[in-house]
Amino acid sequence: MCQVTDEAPAVPEPVFRDDVTVELVRSSAQDADVLFAARVSTAGEQSIEELDKDPARSRGLINYLMRDRHGTPFEHNSMTFLVTAPIFVFREFHRHRSGWSYNEESGRYRELQPVFYVPGAERKLVQKGRPGKYEFFEGTPEQQKATTAAMESSYRQSYDAYQAMLAEGVAREVARAVLPVGLFSSMYATCNARSLMHFLSLRTKDDRAKVPSFPQREIEMVAEQLEAHWAALMPLTHAAFNEHGRVAP
Ligand SMILES: Cc1cc2nc3c(=O)[nH]c(=O)nc-3n(C[C@H](O)[C@H](O)[C@H](O)COP(=O)(O)OP(=O)(O)OC[C@H]3O[C@@H](n4cnc5c(N)ncnc54)[C@H](O)[C@@H]3O)c2cc1C
């Protein structure tokens, strides 16, 4: 038998995370898509049968397209990712406008869950230098302790304020204003290999890059997972991207 009580539903305990996750939800993306698109001007649709016949020629064509920045053959593919990361990462992510589609979870239609970002021990905490030339260094144990304590306390306080407003009947879309950018969100992000390469060129730090970039570590953590999924789907294209300085064609 079901018991009816007047008790308010329990407020969930905050969860503190130091990671981000990227799941490949669906894809239609392979090296053959690049070759298929590139050869339309010479062999047309017949070329799809030729793709696997001559791997060295296929590799050569992908390298040539990458080197000479013939970008459009890299657009005929699609990857959809489920990304779970703090809101401050999404703010940076959503600046990538070309070749990306996004759908993020709603804070208007759903009560937001208390999952918050706290940097892990390996996250360098101290920044030195000037804008564009920052270097990051390990924090001391005291700095790590102070960071964790300040973040957890601030997160608890803001989530309590959010819950207090909801309990008073305030709309979710209003109450959410007190929640910080360290709150986790999730989104579907769909791109193609060309738009992903542009993203990776800006959001990873890599010695092979012709044009170095200095991204915030947390978006780089997302980028590394995106890259691993993509490399498994399109190994020849990924290798050519690295060989030609990690510049989007
Ligand atoms: C390390 C780093 C630090 C950053 N710091 C800041 C910062 O302090 N403040 C800040 O506001 N942003 C900052 N950004 C964001 C940056 O300015 C870009 O918004 C972001 O990197 C997306 O790049 P994008 O415009 O090339 O990408 P996309 O929007 O995906 O565009 C891809 C390409 O399409 C073309 N394109 C797209 N839209 C247009 C257009 N309207 N006109 C002409 N060409 C277009 C361009 O060739 C562009 O490179 C930073 C980015 C990085 C990587």
Coordinates of all heavy atoms in Angstrom, one line a residue, residues 95-98 198 202-203 213-215, ligand 1:
R95 N 31.2 28.7 -29.1 CA 31.8 29.7 -30.0 C 32.1 29.1 -31.4 O 32.3 29.9 -32.3 CB 33.1 30.3 -29.4 CG 32.9 31.0 -28.0 CD 31.9 32.2 -28.1 NE 32.4 33.2 -29.1 CZ 33.3 34.1 -28.8 NH1 33.8 34.2 -27.6 NH2 33.7 34.9 -29.8
H96 N 32.2 27.8 -31.5 CA 32.5 27.2 -32.7 C 31.2 27.1 -33.5 O 30.4 26.2 -33.2 CB 33.2 25.8 -32.5 CG 34.5 26.0 -31.8 ND1 35.7 26.0 -32.6 CD2 34.9 26.2 -30.6 CE1 36.7 26.2 -31.7 NE2 36.2 26.4 -30.5
R97 N 31.0 28.0 -34.5 CA 29.8 28.1 -35.2 C 29.6 27.3 -36.5 O 28.6 26.9 -36.8 CB 29.6 29.6 -35.5 CG 29.6 30.6 -34.4 CD 30.0 32.0 -34.8 NE 31.4 32.1 -35.2 CZ 31.9 33.2 -35.7 NH1 31.2 34.2 -35.8 NH2 33.2 33.2 -36.0
S98 N 30.8 27.1 -37.1 CA 30.7 26.6 -38.5 C 30.8 25.1 -38.5 O 31.8 24.5 -38.0 CB 31.8 27.1 -39.4 OG 31.7 28.5 -39.4
H198 N 39.1 21.9 -37.2 CA 39.3 23.3 -36.9 C 39.2 23.4 -35.3 O 40.0 24.1 -34.7 CB 38.2 24.1 -37.5 CG 38.3 25.6 -37.3 ND1 39.4 26.3 -37.8 CD2 37.6 26.5 -36.6 CE1 39.3 27.6 -37.4 NE2 38.2 27.7 -36.6
L202 N 42.3 24.4 -32.4 CA 42.3 25.5 -31.5 C 42.2 25.1 -30.0 O 42.5 25.8 -29.1 CB 41.0 26.4 -31.8 CG 41.1 27.2 -33.1 CD1 39.7 27.8 -33.4 CD2 42.1 28.3 -32.9
R203 N 41.6 23.9 -29.8 CA 41.3 23.4 -28.4 C 42.2 22.3 -27.9 O 41.9 21.7 -26.9 CB 39.8 23.0 -28.4 CG 38.9 24.1 -28.8 CD 39.0 25.4 -27.9 NE 38.0 26.4 -28.2 CZ 37.8 27.5 -27.6 NH1 38.6 27.9 -26.6 NH2 36.9 28.4 -28.0
S213 N 48.3 26.5 -30.1 CA 47.2 27.1 -29.4 C 47.3 26.8 -27.9 O 48.0 25.9 -27.6 CB 45.8 26.6 -30.0 OG 44.8 27.3 -29.4
F214 N 46.7 27.6 -27.1 CA 46.8 27.5 -25.6 C 45.4 27.4 -25.0 O 45.0 28.4 -24.3 CB 47.7 28.6 -25.1 CG 49.1 28.6 -25.7 CD1 49.3 29.4 -26.8 CD2 50.1 27.9 -25.2 CE1 50.5 29.4 -27.4 CE2 51.3 27.9 -25.8 CZ 51.6 28.6 -26.9
P215 N 44.7 26.3 -25.2 CA 43.4 26.2 -24.7 C 43.3 26.0 -23.2 O 44.3 25.5 -22.6 CB 42.8 25.0 -25.4 CG 44.0 24.1 -25.6 CD 45.2 25.1 -25.9
Ligands
LIG1 C1 43.0 29.8 -26.8 C2 41.8 30.6 -27.1 C3 41.5 31.7 -26.4 C4 40.3 32.5 -26.7 N1 40.0 33.6 -26.0 C5 38.9 34.3 -26.2 C6 38.6 35.5 -25.5 O1 39.3 35.9 -24.6 N2 37.4 36.1 -25.8 C7 36.6 35.7 -26.8 O2 35.5 36.3 -27.0 N3 36.8 34.6 -27.5 C8 38.0 33.9 -27.2 N4 38.2 32.7 -27.9 C9 37.2 32.2 -28.9 C10 37.7 32.5 -30.3 O3 37.7 33.9 -30.6 C11 36.7 31.9 -31.4 O4 35.4 32.4 -31.1 C12 36.7 30.4 -31.2 O5 38.0 29.9 -31.2 C13 35.9 29.8 -32.4 O6 36.8 30.0 -33.6 P1 36.2 30.3 -35.0 O7 35.4 31.5 -35.1 O8 37.4 30.1 -35.9 O9 35.3 29.0 -35.2 P2 33.9 28.9 -36.1 O10 32.9 29.8 -35.5 O11 33.6 27.4 -36.1 O12 34.3 29.4 -37.5 C14 35.1 28.6 -38.3 C15 35.7 29.4 -39.4 O13 34.6 29.9 -40.3 C16 34.9 31.2 -40.7 N5 33.8 32.1 -40.1 C17 32.9 31.7 -39.2 N6 32.0 32.8 -39.0 C18 32.5 33.8 -39.7 C19 32.1 35.2 -39.8 N7 31.1 35.7 -39.2 N8 32.8 35.9 -40.7 C20 33.9 35.5 -41.3 N9 34.4 34.2 -41.3 C21 33.6 33.4 -40.4 C22 36.3 31.6 -40.1 O14 37.2 31.3 -41.1 C23 36.4 30.7 -38.9 O15 37.7 30.4 -38.6 C24 39.4 32.0 -27.7 C25 39.7 30.8 -28.4 C26 40.9 30.1 -28.1 C27 41.1 28.8 -28.8

